[in-house]
Amino acid sequence: MDNITKKLMQKSESTHKDTIGRAVSLTALALIGIVVVAIFAFVLSRGLSTFFRDGVSVKDFLFGTTWNPSVTNPETNQPYIGALPMIIGSFLVTFLAAIVATPFAIGTSLLMTEIAQKRGAKIMQPIIELLVGIPSVVYGFIGLTVVVPFIRNITGGSGFGILSGTIVLFVMILPTITSMTVDTLKSVPRYYRESALAIGATRWQMIYKVILRSATPGIMTAIVFGMARAFGEALAVQMVIGNAALMPTGLATPASTLTSVLTMGIGNTVMGSLQNDVLWTLAMILLLMSLVFNLIVRAIGRRGAMK
């Protein structure tokens, strides 16, 4: 084999770099997959210990309304581990915050991309970036200082509750939904707009019937991220919701969420005890509900996409 044939048979430098790049990408993908699977496996194994090792009934845990793992119910000889108040509290603050934040986020995004692109983006983009960078504890402190007294003056009572948590979470998830919605609206092909205007549609008809419809999957994904942020937020919510493990009887009464109970209790329990296991079960529910939210909203987004 002569030298020319050898050179032709050898891999080029570009091919060698492609191979390295592919190997690095696959390694990163595998590591991410392993980390995700490990997190799920660890949380599930710890969370299921409540049912398989401690013998707690799944029905009593999910639908019980009394939460006090340190005290045993003399009738059932089981601790009071009803998680329903925290589950309902988490759902309420998450959905209410998303419902309030979504119209503001879409309106702001339309202002920045369709109505007043230059001026809107120039004013709103720094505000959104600033809101994204504010730590959760600052939101919680502002909520404790401003929102809670405001709610107290309007509704009476302590001011702590679902409504205060919703207002704080609304501000926290607003920049997340807005920034992702802006990116989605910008990704809508320009000829969609031109075609709609060419057949006589007004600007608002074009926005409502073409732009928003084609951007529905992306907007729903933005809402999912905002809900995930709200659902997993702990510190700010804990500071304003009241942390009472009771069934919510109103928006202005103290309540609790899965995350608030977790953050308050995880440092005060012994690893392997029933009190610790039930907290891991709350974490498992938190993880599974976030996954379910993601799947449901993505399915809705795909159905709403313009064909």
Side-chain angles (χ1 to χ4, degrees):
M1 184 179 296
D2 54 21
N3 292 333
I4 296 178
T5 305
K6 286 183 178 179
K7 288 184 178 179
L8 290 174
M9 296 296 292
Q10 289 178 348
K11 291 183 178 179
S12 66
E13 185 177 354
S14 299
T15 303
H16 186 64
K17 290 181 178 178
D18 288 345
T19 303
I20 295 175
R22 190 180 299 111
V24 171
S25 299
L26 291 175
T27 303
L29 179 64
L31 286 175
I32 293 173
I34 291 172
V35 169
V36 172
V37 172
I39 290 174
F40 269 85
F42 180 75
V43 175
L44 289 176
S45 65
R46 301 293 304 184
L48 292 175
S49 298
T50 300
F51 309 119
F52 293 107
R53 189 177 66 185
D54 301 323
V56 173
S57 167
V58 176
K59 178 182 176 183
D60 293 341
F61 186 87
L62 293 179
F63 299 103
T65 57
T66 304
W67 177 263
N68 193 352
S70 301
V71 179
T72 302
N73 186 346
E75 296 181 357
T76 61
N77 202 26
Q78 290 283 340
Y80 292 102
I81 38 76
L84 188 60
M86 288 80 75
I87 295 174
I88 292 178
S90 295
F91 271 110
L92 279 176
V93 293
T94 299
F95 278 113
L96 289 176
I99 289 172
V100 176
T102 299
F104 286 92
I106 293 176
T108 304
S109 303
L110 289 174
L111 176 70
M112 296 172 63
T113 58
E114 305 294 334
I115 301 172
Q117 297 181 8
K118 292 183 178 179
R119 184 177 298 177
K122 185 177 181 181
I123 296 174
M124 295 307 301
Q125 191 65 37
I127 296 175
I128 293 172
E129 294 173 353
L130 178 64
L131 290 175
V132 171
I134 295 176
S136 299
V137 65
V138 176
Y139 281 113
F141 192 66
I142 294 173
L144 188 64
T145 308
V146 178
V147 177
V148 171
F150 177 73
I151 299 298
R152 183 188 303 140
N153 292 332
I154 294 178
T155 64
S158 63
F160 294 96
I162 298 291
L163 188 56
S164 298
T166 298
I167 294 174
V168 171
L169 285 178
F170 151 67
V171 180
M172 292 183 69
I173 68 175
L174 182 61
T176 301
I177 301 177
T178 301
S179 59
M180 294 188 66
T181 303
V182 168
D183 293 338
T184 300
L185 295 177
K186 286 182 178 178
S187 67
V188 175
R190 183 177 180 82
Y191 63 84
Y192 279 23
R193 299 172 175 82
E194 295 173 347
S195 300
L197 296 174
I199 61 176
T202 65
R203 173 193 273 187
W204 291 108
Q205 287 174 330
M206 179 264 293
I207 290 175
Y208 176 70
K209 294 183 178 296
V210 178
I211 303 301
L212 290 181
R213 282 203 60 189
S214 62
T216 296
I219 295 174
M220 298 302 289
T221 303
I223 296 172
V224 168
F225 275 92
M227 292 175 67
R229 172 84 192 275
F231 206 78
E233 177 55 40
L235 186 57
V237 175
Q238 180 188 342
M239 295 172 71
V240 300
I241 200 168
N243 303 311
L246 304 171
M247 286 294 290
T249 56
L251 296 180
T253 57
S256 61
T257 63
L258 294 168
T259 52
S260 66
V261 172
L262 277 171
T263 53
M264 289 192 305
I266 198 67
N268 301 317
T269 58
V270 178
M271 185 69 74
S273 64
L274 173 65
Q275 291 76 17
N276 184 266
D277 288 343
V278 293
L279 293 178
W280 277 108
T281 307
L282 294 182
M284 181 184 70
I285 294 174
L286 194 67
L287 189 65
L288 293 178
M289 286 201 295
S290 300
L291 180 62
V292 170
F293 278 144
N294 201 320
L295 294 176
I296 291 176
V297 177
R298 281 180 178 274
I300 295 173
R302 282 195 295 271
R303 286 189 177 185
M306 187 172 66
K307 305 296 184 185

